[in-house]
PDB file of all heavy atoms in Angstrom:
ATOM      1  N   LYS A1019      -9.637  16.302  20.652  1.00  0.00           N
ATOM      2  CA  LYS A1019     -10.613  15.476  19.917  1.00  0.00           C
ATOM      3  C   LYS A1019     -10.155  15.115  18.534  1.00  0.00           C
ATOM      4  O   LYS A1019     -10.296  14.000  18.087  1.00  0.00           O
ATOM      5  CB  LYS A1019     -11.977  16.230  19.892  1.00  0.00           C
ATOM      6  CG  LYS A1019     -13.015  15.488  19.086  1.00  0.00           C
ATOM      7  CD  LYS A1019     -14.316  16.302  19.040  1.00  0.00           C
ATOM      8  CE  LYS A1019     -15.366  15.647  18.137  1.00  0.00           C
ATOM      9  NZ  LYS A1019     -16.589  16.458  18.060  1.00  0.00           N
ATOM     10  N   ASP A1020      -9.526  16.094  17.858  1.00  0.00           N
ATOM     11  CA  ASP A1020      -9.060  15.851  16.506  1.00  0.00           C
ATOM     12  C   ASP A1020      -7.969  14.760  16.450  1.00  0.00           C
ATOM     13  O   ASP A1020      -7.817  14.077  15.457  1.00  0.00           O
ATOM     14  CB  ASP A1020      -8.474  17.140  15.908  1.00  0.00           C
ATOM     15  CG  ASP A1020      -9.611  18.202  15.722  1.00  0.00           C
ATOM     16  OD1 ASP A1020     -10.760  17.772  15.659  1.00  0.00           O
ATOM     17  OD2 ASP A1020      -9.290  19.376  15.685  1.00  0.00           O
ATOM     18  N   GLY A1021      -7.256  14.620  17.559  1.00  0.00           N
ATOM     19  CA  GLY A1021      -6.183  13.646  17.572  1.00  0.00           C
ATOM     20  C   GLY A1021      -6.623  12.238  18.005  1.00  0.00           C
ATOM     21  O   GLY A1021      -5.781  11.363  18.129  1.00  0.00           O
ATOM     22  N   LEU A1022      -7.931  12.075  18.220  1.00  0.00           N
ATOM     23  CA  LEU A1022      -8.404  10.755  18.716  1.00  0.00           C
ATOM     24  C   LEU A1022      -8.884   9.846  17.588  1.00  0.00           C
ATOM     25  O   LEU A1022      -9.417   8.800  17.859  1.00  0.00           O
ATOM     26  CB  LEU A1022      -9.522  10.997  19.677  1.00  0.00           C
ATOM     27  CG  LEU A1022      -9.120  11.500  21.084  1.00  0.00           C
ATOM     28  CD1 LEU A1022     -10.364  11.812  21.916  1.00  0.00           C
ATOM     29  CD2 LEU A1022      -8.234  10.484  21.802  1.00  0.00           C
ATOM     30  N   GLY A1023      -8.654  10.231  16.296  1.00  0.00           N
ATOM     31  CA  GLY A1023      -9.145   9.417  15.214  1.00  0.00           C
ATOM     32  C   GLY A1023      -8.472   8.049  15.183  1.00  0.00           C
ATOM     33  O   GLY A1023      -9.117   7.015  15.254  1.00  0.00           O
ATOM     34  N   HIS A1024      -7.147   8.032  15.070  1.00  0.00           N
ATOM     35  CA  HIS A1024      -6.420   6.738  14.989  1.00  0.00           C
ATOM     36  C   HIS A1024      -5.129   6.848  15.756  1.00  0.00           C
ATOM     37  O   HIS A1024      -4.032   6.699  15.213  1.00  0.00           O
ATOM     38  CB  HIS A1024      -6.140   6.364  13.529  1.00  0.00           C
ATOM     39  CG  HIS A1024      -7.366   6.179  12.705  1.00  0.00           C
ATOM     40  ND1 HIS A1024      -8.111   5.060  12.783  1.00  0.00           N
ATOM     41  CD2 HIS A1024      -7.989   7.010  11.804  1.00  0.00           C
ATOM     42  CE1 HIS A1024      -9.149   5.160  11.963  1.00  0.00           C
ATOM     43  NE2 HIS A1024      -9.098   6.345  11.350  1.00  0.00           N
ATOM     44  N   PRO A1025      -5.163   7.150  17.056  1.00  0.00           N
ATOM     45  CA  PRO A1025      -3.931   7.329  17.784  1.00  0.00           C
ATOM     46  C   PRO A1025      -3.364   5.990  18.262  1.00  0.00           C
ATOM     47  O   PRO A1025      -4.057   4.969  18.440  1.00  0.00           O
ATOM     48  CB  PRO A1025      -4.328   8.226  18.989  1.00  0.00           C
ATOM     49  CG  PRO A1025      -5.733   7.788  19.225  1.00  0.00           C
ATOM     50  CD  PRO A1025      -6.336   7.400  17.910  1.00  0.00           C
ATOM     51  N   ASP A1026      -2.066   5.985  18.565  1.00  0.00           N
ATOM     52  CA  ASP A1026      -1.498   4.764  19.218  1.00  0.00           C
ATOM     53  C   ASP A1026      -1.825   4.828  20.716  1.00  0.00           C
ATOM     54  O   ASP A1026      -2.249   5.880  21.218  1.00  0.00           O
ATOM     55  CB  ASP A1026       0.014   4.701  18.954  1.00  0.00           C
ATOM     56  CG  ASP A1026       0.732   5.905  19.554  1.00  0.00           C
ATOM     57  OD1 ASP A1026       0.078   6.857  20.069  1.00  0.00           O
ATOM     58  OD2 ASP A1026       1.942   5.930  19.466  1.00  0.00           O
TER      59      ASP A1026
END
Side-chain angles (χ1 to χ4, degrees):
K1019 176 183 176 181
D1020 294 338
L1022 286 174
H1024 299 282
D1026 60 356

